[in-house]
């Protein structure tokens, strides 16, 4: 009788835990957050980095800067019902130089004036928009590390190193 009751209680516990999604839980792809191969996936949107460049001070894209900048262009896709605009990318990317430094680069003015005008326009769910962003460089030789961080936190979810050409 004790073995039978133990078996019944074990089944009840297993069923109640599976109902709470503890047993056999796996993260759905919509919850997964990652950053690799120029692709960032966070809670409400995805970002594909399409181009990077170093723009010297005074040149197009950095006309008023006193330092060279590291610029990147991207496509952002809203994967949620939230209000998302291209400027959301700046909340989940951090840049560091030299690559081993813990000192974050300072954001620079947007390098693409054509995209700047659309930077705060809301993107509908499952639609995409283009954007750009940039950081002031400390030097033009050291590689840059871009950290993808979790939405709403500073927890790093991936790091990519970009060599300056």
């Amino acid at each position: 009788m004790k073995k039978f009751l133990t078996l019944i209680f074990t089944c009840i516990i297993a069923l109640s835990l599976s109902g709470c999604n503890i047993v056999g839980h796996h993260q759905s792809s919509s919850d997964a957050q990652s950053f690799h191969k120029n692709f960032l996936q966070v809670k409400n949107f995805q970002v594909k980095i399409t181009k990077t460049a170093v723009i010297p001070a005074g040149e197009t894209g950095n006309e008023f800067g006193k330092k060279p900048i590291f610029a990147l262009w991207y496509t952002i896709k809203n994967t949620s019902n939230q209000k998302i605009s291209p400027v959301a990318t700046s909340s989940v990317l951090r840049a560091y130089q030299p690559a081993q430094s813990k000192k974050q680069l300072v954001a620079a003015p947007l390098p693409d004036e054509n995209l700047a005008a659309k930077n705060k326009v809301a993107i509908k769910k499952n639609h995409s928009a283009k954007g750009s962003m940039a950081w002031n460089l400390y030097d033009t030789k050291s590689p840059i590390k871009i950290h993808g961080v979790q939405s709403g936190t500073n927890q790093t979810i991936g790091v990519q190193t970009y060599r300056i050409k």
Side-chain angles (χ1 to χ4, degrees):
M1 182 72 172
K2 283 184 178 179
K3 288 182 181 180
F4 179 72
L5 286 175
T6 304
L7 179 64
I8 296 283
F9 285 125
T10 304
C11 289
I12 290 170
I13 290 170
L15 287 173
S16 65
L17 287 176
S18 66
C20 294
N21 207 17
I22 294 173
V23 174
H25 174 73
H26 67 279
Q27 203 173 29
S28 73
S29 61
S30 62
D31 291 341
Q33 297 190 55
S34 63
F35 181 44
H36 63 280
K37 295 183 181 179
N38 289 331
F39 186 79
L40 172 73
Q41 171 72 52
V42 291
K43 185 176 178 183
N44 295 315
F45 58 92
Q46 302 169 338
V47 176
K48 174 70 177 164
I49 297 172
T50 56
K51 177 182 169 185
T52 62
V54 173
I55 305 174
E59 290 197 11
T60 303
N62 191 16
E63 293 88 344
F64 306 106
K66 295 180 181 178
K67 294 181 175 184
I69 62 172
F70 179 75
L72 60 83
W73 287 260
Y74 57 86
T75 300
I76 179 172
K77 179 180 180 182
N78 184 353
T79 58
S80 71
N81 290 318
Q82 303 296 315
K83 287 186 177 183
I84 303 294
S85 65
V87 75
T89 303
S90 64
S91 70
V92 293
L93 292 179
R94 309 279 185 271
Y96 299 86
Q97 186 195 32
Q100 68 276 9
S101 172
K102 299 231 184 259
K103 192 169 182 182
Q104 192 172 327
L105 291 175
V106 176
L110 298 177
D112 192 323
E113 68 180 51
N114 295 324
L115 297 175
K118 300 174 185 173
N119 209 31
K120 293 185 180 179
V121 175
I123 306 165
K124 293 179 184 177
K125 183 177 181 177
N126 295 323
H127 286 79
S128 300
K130 295 182 182 211
S132 65
M133 59 190 305
W135 295 273
N136 290 311
L137 292 174
Y138 291 122
D139 66 67
T140 56
K141 294 179 181 151
S142 303
I144 296 138
K145 277 200 177 180
I146 305 291
H147 291 231
V149 299
Q150 221 173 37
S151 294
T153 72
N154 277 327
Q155 183 179 350
T156 299
I157 56 175
V159 178
Q160 289 194 212
T161 302
Y162 295 88
R163 307 242 180 260
I164 296 179
K165 300 171 186 171

